[in-house]
Amino acid sequence: MRTWLIGTALSLLLWGPAAFAGTVLVVGDSISAAFGLDTRQGWVALLEKRMVEQGFDQQVVNASISGDTSAGGAARLPALLTEHQPELVIIELGGNDGLRGQPPMQLQQNLAAMVQASQQKGAKVLILGMQLPPNYGVRYTTAFAAVFPQVAQEHDAALVPFVLEGIGGVPSMMQRDGIHPTAQAQPKLLDNVWPTLKPLL
């Protein structure tokens, strides 16, 4: 029995970091699901590669679905939290809410619910903010953009104010639909996220 216990203890010492590595859960829409691309080209796949290169051993789980809204993410999140028990949740949702003209207050409520559910499970939260094209009108686009920092401030979550900074509206960085980033834009997208994400790992 003593021999078995010693062997088990040695195994835990040797394999502990890998066995107990945390999980980074990404809950997003087409921006994180690498719409129109090979998923290996997407910023989430590039994130996983960078983490390995820099010595982080967390597992990255990409639970993003193209077309998803904040309501869809809020509905899916409880099961994802139970299944993966993440130490960090990255929320990249809201773009489809805006494109559909849904009320910013509804987006705010959904994001707040996701942040609170994640924090109640002991996870840190990073919100990736989004902005809309100006053709949606100043009043709506302003109210929409304000949701992300407001939720982050009220619930003590980390924030990237605009995940598509330097990408959105740049023809060479966007696919022909003008909505989804190209493969060439994915490293820039990761660079937008990384400075805020890294301290949370």
XYZ file of all heavy atoms in Angstrom, residues 55-146:
673
model
N 4.559 28.762 -23.165
C 4.654 27.943 -21.969
C 3.395 27.841 -21.134
O 3.437 27.346 -20.003
N 2.257 28.286 -21.660
C 0.999 28.119 -20.940
C 0.420 26.749 -21.269
O 0.417 26.328 -22.428
C 0.002 29.210 -21.343
C 0.443 30.597 -20.954
C 1.013 31.446 -21.894
C 0.299 31.039 -19.651
C 1.428 32.723 -21.544
C 0.709 32.323 -19.286
C 1.281 33.162 -20.238
N -0.085 26.066 -20.257
C -0.550 24.694 -20.484
C -2.065 24.541 -20.432
O -2.590 23.431 -20.426
C 0.094 23.727 -19.483
C -0.201 24.097 -18.034
O -0.947 25.070 -17.790
O 0.330 23.413 -17.142
N -2.794 25.662 -20.416
C -4.246 25.558 -20.405
C -4.771 25.001 -21.739
O -4.201 25.253 -22.797
C -4.894 26.923 -20.160
C -4.729 27.442 -18.758
C -3.521 28.344 -18.598
O -2.543 28.204 -19.333
N -3.560 29.255 -17.652
N -5.848 24.277 -21.638
C -6.539 23.781 -22.823
C -7.490 24.864 -23.321
O -8.117 25.556 -22.520
C -7.333 22.525 -22.477
C -8.182 21.983 -23.613
C -9.104 20.868 -23.166
O -9.270 20.620 -21.967
N -9.721 20.187 -24.102
N -7.574 25.033 -24.624
C -8.507 25.988 -25.203
C -9.678 25.230 -25.820
O -9.491 24.350 -26.651
C -7.828 26.861 -26.285
C -8.839 27.821 -26.905
C -6.656 27.638 -25.688
N -10.879 25.575 -25.385
C -12.100 24.985 -25.934
C -12.860 26.069 -26.676
O -13.268 27.065 -26.074
C -12.987 24.380 -24.826
C -14.314 23.897 -25.405
C -12.273 23.241 -24.128
N -13.039 25.885 -27.958
C -13.758 26.867 -28.772
C -15.206 26.422 -28.943
O -15.506 25.518 -29.716
C -13.086 27.042 -30.129
C -13.630 28.247 -30.886
O -14.561 28.912 -30.444
N -13.040 28.534 -32.035
N -16.099 27.068 -28.208
C -17.518 26.730 -28.267
C -18.288 27.790 -29.046
O -19.438 28.105 -28.732
C -18.085 26.592 -26.858
N -17.649 28.361 -30.056
C -18.267 29.424 -30.844
C -19.102 28.846 -31.981
O -18.735 27.821 -32.574
C -17.185 30.340 -31.424
O -16.402 30.893 -30.394
N -20.218 29.505 -32.282
C -21.139 29.067 -33.325
C -21.475 30.250 -34.214
O -21.930 31.294 -33.734
C -22.437 28.490 -32.727
C -22.135 27.265 -31.854
C -23.429 28.134 -33.832
C -23.366 26.706 -31.177
N -21.244 30.105 -35.493
C -21.578 31.180 -36.430
C -23.065 31.511 -36.349
O -23.906 30.617 -36.299
C -21.220 30.766 -37.855
O -19.823 30.646 -38.009
N -23.368 32.795 -36.311
C -24.749 33.237 -36.236
C -25.309 33.345 -34.838
O -26.446 33.801 -34.657
N -24.533 32.949 -33.838
C -25.061 32.957 -32.473
C -25.233 34.387 -31.964
O -24.520 35.305 -32.358
C -24.119 32.196 -31.548
C -24.823 31.660 -30.310
O -26.064 31.763 -30.235
O -24.134 31.105 -29.430
N -26.187 34.552 -31.091
C -26.468 35.827 -30.447
C -26.136 35.736 -28.963
O -25.811 34.661 -28.443
C -27.957 36.189 -30.587
O -28.734 35.179 -29.912
C -28.375 36.269 -32.050
N -26.233 36.852 -28.273
C -25.983 36.831 -26.834
C -27.004 35.956 -26.111
O -26.678 35.291 -25.125
C -25.998 38.249 -26.270
O -27.278 38.854 -26.423
N -28.239 35.933 -26.610
C -29.267 35.072 -26.002
C -28.898 33.604 -26.185
O -29.047 32.793 -25.261
C -30.634 35.360 -26.615
N -28.407 33.257 -27.368
C -27.995 31.883 -27.615
C -26.821 31.484 -26.744
O -26.776 30.379 -26.188
N -25.859 32.402 -26.608
C -24.713 32.115 -25.759
C -25.099 31.956 -24.308
O -24.602 31.068 -23.614
N -26.000 32.813 -23.836
C -26.455 32.723 -22.449
C -27.177 31.408 -22.191
O -27.062 30.829 -21.104
C -27.368 33.896 -22.122
N -27.905 30.917 -23.191
C -28.626 29.655 -23.038
C -27.666 28.462 -23.037
O -27.892 27.479 -22.333
C -29.656 29.501 -24.152
N -26.597 28.566 -23.819
C -25.648 27.457 -23.933
C -24.645 27.404 -22.789
O -24.085 26.339 -22.490
C -24.864 27.564 -25.247
C -25.684 27.406 -26.487
C -24.809 27.240 -27.729
N -24.011 28.418 -28.058
C -22.689 28.443 -28.112
N -21.985 27.357 -27.826
N -22.038 29.560 -28.453
N -24.377 28.549 -22.191
C -23.261 28.648 -21.254
C -23.339 27.730 -20.036
O -22.326 27.113 -19.680
C -23.087 30.098 -20.810
C -21.889 30.367 -19.890
C -20.586 29.991 -20.581
C -21.863 31.820 -19.453
N -24.476 27.594 -19.351
C -24.486 26.751 -18.154
C -23.980 25.336 -18.393
O -23.196 24.808 -17.594
C -25.962 26.764 -17.727
C -26.463 28.082 -18.227
C -25.771 28.286 -19.541
N -24.391 24.727 -19.481
C -23.926 23.367 -19.787
C -22.439 23.351 -20.094
O -21.717 22.421 -19.698
C -24.717 22.792 -20.961
N -21.954 24.393 -20.768
C -20.529 24.472 -21.088
C -19.695 24.636 -19.817
O -18.615 24.045 -19.690
C -20.273 25.642 -22.042
C -20.828 25.501 -23.456
C -20.740 26.833 -24.203
C -20.078 24.412 -24.223
N -20.178 25.437 -18.885
C -19.465 25.622 -17.629
C -19.390 24.327 -16.836
O -18.354 24.003 -16.247
C -20.149 26.707 -16.789
C -20.082 28.140 -17.332
C -20.958 29.058 -16.491
C -18.647 28.656 -17.377
N -20.471 23.587 -16.834
C -20.490 22.314 -16.119
C -19.562 21.305 -16.774
O -18.829 20.568 -16.097
C -21.926 21.753 -16.083
O -22.766 22.671 -15.375
C -21.974 20.402 -15.397
N -19.571 21.271 -18.087
C -18.766 20.282 -18.809
C -17.270 20.575 -18.740
O -16.461 19.671 -18.511
C -19.194 20.234 -20.271
C -18.379 19.261 -21.121
C -18.808 19.229 -22.570
O -19.748 19.965 -22.940
O -18.194 18.469 -23.353
N -16.890 21.838 -18.917
C -15.473 22.161 -19.064
C -14.832 22.776 -17.828
O -13.604 22.821 -17.731
C -15.283 23.103 -20.259
C -15.750 22.532 -21.556
N -15.111 21.483 -22.185
C -16.820 22.846 -22.347
C -15.740 21.188 -23.318
N -16.784 21.993 -23.425
N -15.622 23.288 -16.904
C -15.119 23.894 -15.669
C -13.943 24.836 -15.961
O -12.848 24.664 -15.424
C -14.715 22.800 -14.685
C -15.869 21.885 -14.299
C -15.477 20.831 -13.290
O -14.584 21.040 -12.460
N -16.138 19.688 -13.329
N -14.144 25.832 -16.793
C -13.041 26.700 -17.205
C -12.540 27.615 -16.100
O -13.273 27.964 -15.182
C -13.664 27.525 -18.337
C -15.113 27.605 -17.957
C -15.432 26.253 -17.375
N -11.283 27.994 -16.204
C -10.744 29.006 -15.304
C -10.854 30.393 -15.917
O -10.753 31.400 -15.230
C -9.288 28.703 -14.957
C -8.314 28.792 -16.107
C -6.884 28.567 -15.661
O -6.652 27.812 -14.696
O -5.982 29.167 -16.275
N -11.057 30.428 -17.243
C -11.242 31.692 -17.947
C -12.287 31.516 -19.032
O -12.225 30.557 -19.808
C -9.920 32.155 -18.571
C -9.979 33.364 -19.513
C -10.474 34.609 -18.768
C -8.612 33.629 -20.136
N -13.251 32.428 -19.086
C -14.278 32.424 -20.126
C -14.119 33.683 -20.960
O -14.115 34.800 -20.423
C -15.698 32.365 -19.528
C -16.754 32.454 -20.638
C -15.889 31.081 -18.728
N -13.970 33.504 -22.261
C -13.891 34.621 -23.194
C -15.233 34.721 -23.908
O -15.656 33.770 -24.566
C -12.757 34.426 -24.214
C -11.409 34.289 -23.498
C -12.719 35.590 -25.204
C -10.253 33.943 -24.426
N -15.892 35.858 -23.765
C -17.210 36.059 -24.376
C -17.058 36.984 -25.580
O -16.707 38.157 -25.428
C -18.205 36.661 -23.365
C -18.334 35.753 -22.139
C -19.565 36.875 -24.025
C -19.176 36.348 -21.018
N -17.318 36.447 -26.748
C -17.251 37.228 -27.988
C -18.615 37.113 -28.665
O -18.811 36.325 -29.574
C -16.111 36.700 -28.877
C -15.924 37.460 -30.180
C -16.831 36.953 -31.291
O -16.766 35.753 -31.617
O -17.612 37.776 -31.817
N -19.556 37.875 -28.165
C -20.931 37.824 -28.662
C -21.513 39.241 -28.686
O -21.059 40.116 -27.957
C -21.799 36.919 -27.779
C -21.554 35.410 -27.899
C -22.243 34.671 -26.763
C -22.032 34.883 -29.249
N -22.526 39.413 -29.496
C -23.205 40.702 -29.569
C -23.288 41.239 -30.979
O -24.193 42.011 -31.292
N -22.350 40.843 -31.823
C -22.359 41.340 -33.190
C -23.652 41.036 -33.923
O -24.219 41.913 -34.593
N -24.136 39.814 -33.766
C -25.377 39.443 -34.440
C -26.593 40.114 -33.819
O -27.578 40.396 -34.514
C -25.547 37.914 -34.442
C -24.543 37.239 -35.358
O -24.388 37.612 -36.512
N -23.833 36.254 -34.835
N -26.527 40.397 -32.523
C -27.590 41.180 -31.894
C -27.700 42.535 -32.590
O -28.800 43.004 -32.924
C -27.291 41.400 -30.411
C -27.230 40.118 -29.608
O -26.387 39.259 -29.931
O -28.001 39.975 -28.654
N -26.535 43.171 -32.794
C -26.522 44.481 -33.412
C -26.967 44.465 -34.854
O -27.745 45.321 -35.288
N -26.487 43.478 -35.613
C -26.853 43.393 -37.026
C -28.352 43.171 -37.195
O -28.926 43.541 -38.226
C -26.069 42.273 -37.707
C -24.551 42.489 -37.815
C -23.879 41.264 -38.428
C -24.230 43.740 -38.630
N -28.988 42.583 -36.199
C -30.432 42.333 -36.242
C -31.227 43.466 -35.597
O -32.450 43.401 -35.513
C -30.747 41.009 -35.553
C -30.099 39.805 -36.230
C -30.330 38.522 -35.475
N -29.555 37.418 -36.045
C -29.591 36.160 -35.622
N -30.378 35.839 -34.593
N -28.857 35.234 -36.196
N -30.522 44.476 -35.107
C -31.202 45.621 -34.516
C -31.879 45.331 -33.194
O -32.842 46.014 -32.816
N -31.387 44.346 -32.458
C -32.001 44.015 -31.182
C -31.664 45.071 -30.126
O -30.621 45.726 -30.204
C -31.549 42.618 -30.736
C -32.017 41.512 -31.675
C -31.554 40.142 -31.254
O -30.777 39.994 -30.309
N -32.024 39.117 -31.957
N -32.511 45.244 -29.139
C -32.306 46.303 -28.139
C -30.990 46.131 -27.373
O -30.703 45.028 -26.887
C -33.507 46.132 -27.194
C -34.535 45.425 -28.014
C -33.780 44.514 -28.926
N -30.203 47.184 -27.240
C -28.969 47.099 -26.457
C -29.201 46.632 -25.027
O -28.347 45.948 -24.457
C -28.430 48.536 -26.505
C -28.944 49.080 -27.795
C -30.320 48.481 -27.933
N -30.339 46.990 -24.447
C -30.629 46.550 -23.085
C -30.707 45.025 -23.001
O -30.265 44.419 -22.012
C -31.941 47.169 -22.596
C -32.309 46.769 -21.168
S -31.056 47.269 -19.958
C -31.253 49.058 -20.016
N -31.242 44.409 -24.028
C -31.314 42.947 -24.061
C -29.919 42.354 -24.127
O -29.612 41.361 -23.441
C -32.144 42.507 -25.269
C -32.297 41.003 -25.418
C -33.185 40.656 -26.598
O -34.272 41.210 -26.765
N -32.729 39.754 -27.446
N -29.056 42.948 -24.955
C -27.666 42.506 -25.029
C -26.992 42.652 -23.674
O -26.281 41.746 -23.218
C -26.923 43.324 -26.089
C -25.401 43.161 -26.150
C -25.009 41.730 -26.470
C -24.808 44.124 -27.177
N -27.216 43.776 -23.023
C -26.612 44.020 -21.718
C -27.034 42.965 -20.702
O -26.204 42.440 -19.946
C -27.005 45.406 -21.221
C -26.412 45.768 -19.866
C -26.783 47.176 -19.447
O -27.186 47.995 -20.265
N -26.652 47.473 -18.162
N -28.301 42.642 -20.678
C -28.801 41.648 -19.736
C -28.205 40.269 -20.003
O -27.825 39.546 -19.070
C -30.328 41.591 -19.812
C -31.002 42.852 -19.293
C -32.495 42.883 -19.580
O -33.008 42.074 -20.358
N -33.206 43.813 -18.957
N -28.097 39.910 -21.277
C -27.548 38.594 -21.626
C -26.068 38.489 -21.277
O -25.613 37.482 -20.719
C -27.756 38.313 -23.114
C -29.209 38.094 -23.471
O -30.001 37.682 -22.644
N -29.565 38.384 -24.702
N -25.316 39.531 -21.602
C -23.882 39.510 -21.287
C -23.662 39.488 -19.778
O -22.804 38.751 -19.278
C -23.188 40.728 -21.895
C -23.045 40.769 -23.417
C -22.340 42.048 -23.852
C -22.289 39.549 -23.944
N -24.432 40.277 -19.064
C -24.300 40.293 -17.600
C -24.606 38.923 -17.009
O -23.910 38.461 -16.090
C -25.235 41.344 -17.014
N -25.614 38.264 -17.543
C -25.962 36.929 -17.056
C -24.827 35.947 -17.312
O -24.524 35.089 -16.463
C -27.243 36.444 -17.728
N -24.174 36.076 -18.468
C -23.061 35.175 -18.793
C -21.866 35.430 -17.887
O -21.216 34.483 -17.421
C -22.664 35.354 -20.261
C -23.722 34.908 -21.249
S -23.169 35.028 -22.973
C -21.988 33.663 -23.036
N -21.581 36.699 -17.636
C -20.463 37.034 -16.751
C -20.723 36.501 -15.349
O -19.850 35.863 -14.734
C -20.234 38.550 -16.715
C -19.205 38.915 -15.646
C -19.780 39.063 -18.078
N -21.909 36.733 -14.849
C -22.232 36.297 -13.494
C -22.212 34.776 -13.369
O -21.694 34.235 -12.382
C -23.606 36.840 -13.096
C -23.608 38.346 -12.872
C -24.995 38.883 -12.574
O -25.951 38.620 -13.291
N -25.119 39.644 -11.503
N -22.747 34.076 -14.364
C -22.745 32.612 -14.329
C -21.319 32.076 -14.322
O -20.999 31.114 -13.597
C -23.515 32.058 -15.530
N -20.447 32.702 -15.116
C -19.047 32.266 -15.172
C -18.344 32.525 -13.850
O -17.626 31.661 -13.323
C -18.325 32.998 -16.298
O -18.925 32.743 -17.554
N -18.544 33.706 -13.302
C -17.887 34.064 -12.045
C -18.382 33.210 -10.885
O -17.609 32.862 -9.984
C -18.092 35.548 -11.763
C -17.355 36.450 -12.745
C -17.670 37.915 -12.557
O -18.707 38.267 -11.985
N -16.795 38.791 -13.012
N -19.636 32.850 -10.902
C -20.170 31.989 -9.846
C -19.541 30.605 -9.870
O -19.502 29.919 -8.847
C -21.691 31.888 -9.979
C -22.423 33.157 -9.569
C -23.900 33.139 -9.930
O -24.408 32.155 -10.470
N -24.592 34.231 -9.640
N -19.018 30.215 -11.014
C -18.316 28.936 -11.145
C -16.811 29.087 -10.908
O -16.049 28.154 -11.094
C -18.548 28.349 -12.538
C -19.974 27.876 -12.793
C -20.293 26.627 -11.990
C -21.649 26.050 -12.385
N -21.952 24.790 -11.659
N -16.405 30.297 -10.517
C -15.006 30.533 -10.199
C -14.128 30.922 -11.367
O -12.898 30.932 -11.239
N -14.720 31.264 -12.504
C -13.945 31.609 -13.693
C -13.736 33.114 -13.816
O -14.603 33.907 -13.454
C -14.637 31.080 -14.944
N -12.591 33.499 -14.338
C -12.374 34.872 -14.754
C -13.097 35.077 -16.086
O -13.349 34.113 -16.811
C -10.883 35.151 -14.926
C -10.049 34.915 -13.675
C -8.574 35.059 -13.991
C -7.713 34.691 -12.799
N -6.268 34.723 -13.137
N -13.380 36.335 -16.409
C -14.129 36.607 -17.641
C -13.448 37.716 -18.433
O -13.043 38.742 -17.873
C -15.585 37.015 -17.343
C -16.328 37.309 -18.641
C -16.301 35.923 -16.557
N -13.346 37.497 -19.731
C -12.861 38.512 -20.664
C -13.944 38.741 -21.711
O -14.376 37.800 -22.382
C -11.572 38.045 -21.352
C -11.062 38.914 -22.514
C -10.801 40.339 -22.052
C -9.808 38.285 -23.123
N -14.392 39.984 -21.823
C -15.399 40.362 -22.809
C -14.702 41.001 -24.008
O -13.876 41.899 -23.840
C -16.415 41.358 -22.213
C -17.164 40.716 -21.033
C -17.403 41.823 -23.278
C -18.051 41.705 -20.286
N -15.043 40.535 -25.202
C -14.513 41.121 -26.426
C -15.588 42.027 -27.014
O -16.615 41.550 -27.497
C -14.113 40.025 -27.428
C -13.133 38.972 -26.898
C -12.700 38.039 -28.036
C -11.911 39.618 -26.243
N -15.354 43.322 -26.953
C -16.343 44.286 -27.402
C -16.457 44.355 -28.915
O -15.535 44.004 -29.658
N -17.603 44.831 -29.374
C -17.892 44.948 -30.802
C -18.475 46.330 -31.083
O -19.075 46.951 -30.201
C -18.875 43.852 -31.225
C -19.154 43.791 -32.720
S -17.689 43.529 -33.725
C -17.190 41.885 -33.201
N -18.301 46.782 -32.306
C -18.910 48.026 -32.765
C -19.606 47.769 -34.096
O -19.268 46.812 -34.799
C -17.850 49.122 -32.922
C -17.191 49.513 -31.613
C -16.123 50.577 -31.786
O -16.040 51.231 -32.821
N -15.287 50.747 -30.761
N -20.559 48.626 -34.420
C -21.345 48.458 -35.635
C -20.970 49.517 -36.668
O -20.491 50.601 -36.322
C -22.838 48.571 -35.309
C -23.427 47.481 -34.425
C -24.871 47.837 -34.083
C -23.351 46.121 -35.101
N -21.224 49.221 -37.945
C -20.992 50.224 -38.994
C -21.878 51.451 -38.776
O -22.965 51.349 -38.200
C -21.387 49.483 -40.283
C -21.329 48.037 -39.940
C -21.694 47.945 -38.492
N -21.456 52.603 -39.256
C -22.203 53.847 -39.012
C -23.583 53.885 -39.661
O -24.420 54.696 -39.249
C -21.284 54.925 -39.604
C -20.386 54.208 -40.549
C -20.195 52.845 -39.968
N -23.828 53.011 -40.633
C -25.135 53.053 -41.301
C -26.285 52.602 -40.387
O -27.447 52.714 -40.762
C -25.125 52.207 -42.577
C -24.768 50.759 -42.330
O -23.640 50.462 -41.941
N -25.702 49.857 -42.573
N -25.960 52.120 -39.190
C -27.003 51.748 -38.237
C -27.490 52.949 -37.427
O -28.390 52.802 -36.607
C -26.514 50.630 -37.307
C -26.599 49.258 -37.932
C -25.649 48.841 -38.856
C -27.647 48.390 -37.639
C -25.730 47.598 -39.449
C -27.736 47.140 -38.223
C -26.777 46.752 -39.135
O -26.860 45.511 -39.736
N -26.880 54.093 -37.663
C -27.328 55.312 -36.980
C -26.528 55.586 -35.722
O -26.157 54.659 -34.994
N -26.292 56.864 -35.461
C -25.450 57.257 -34.339
C -26.028 56.813 -33.006
O -25.316 56.291 -32.133
C -25.236 58.790 -34.336
C -24.475 59.219 -33.084
C -24.485 59.220 -35.582
N -27.326 57.011 -32.821
C -27.933 56.677 -31.528
C -27.796 55.191 -31.209
O -27.387 54.821 -30.102
C -29.413 57.081 -31.531
C -30.133 56.708 -30.223
C -31.588 57.120 -30.236
N -31.740 58.568 -30.260
C -32.917 59.184 -30.236
N -34.036 58.485 -30.208
N -32.979 60.506 -30.255
N -28.105 54.356 -32.198
C -28.060 52.909 -31.945
C -26.626 52.420 -31.786
O -26.319 51.639 -30.872
C -28.752 52.148 -33.069
C -28.842 50.654 -32.810
C -29.759 50.144 -31.891
C -27.989 49.760 -33.454
C -29.839 48.787 -31.625
C -28.053 48.401 -33.194
C -28.980 47.918 -32.283
O -29.045 46.570 -32.025
N -25.738 52.844 -32.680
C -24.359 52.360 -32.612
C -23.674 52.809 -31.324
O -22.867 52.062 -30.748
C -23.536 52.842 -33.827
O -23.592 54.270 -33.914
C -24.084 52.258 -35.121
N -23.994 54.004 -30.858
C -23.408 54.498 -29.608
C -23.908 53.688 -28.420
O -23.128 53.286 -27.543
C -23.737 55.983 -29.407
O -23.214 56.736 -30.501
C -23.137 56.503 -28.113
N -25.222 53.457 -28.375
C -25.804 52.676 -27.276
C -25.285 51.242 -27.297
O -25.003 50.657 -26.238
C -27.327 52.691 -27.382
N -25.145 50.685 -28.491
C -24.645 49.310 -28.637
C -23.213 49.199 -28.126
O -22.894 48.321 -27.311
C -24.715 48.899 -30.110
C -24.147 47.536 -30.392
C -24.932 46.397 -30.278
C -22.817 47.395 -30.798
C -24.396 45.137 -30.538
C -22.280 46.144 -31.062
C -23.078 45.016 -30.929
N -22.337 50.092 -28.588
C -20.927 50.029 -28.199
C -20.741 50.227 -26.698
O -19.802 49.691 -26.097
C -20.125 51.070 -28.972
N -21.627 51.001 -26.080
C -21.496 51.302 -24.651
C -21.821 50.110 -23.763
O -21.425 50.088 -22.589
C -22.407 52.469 -24.283
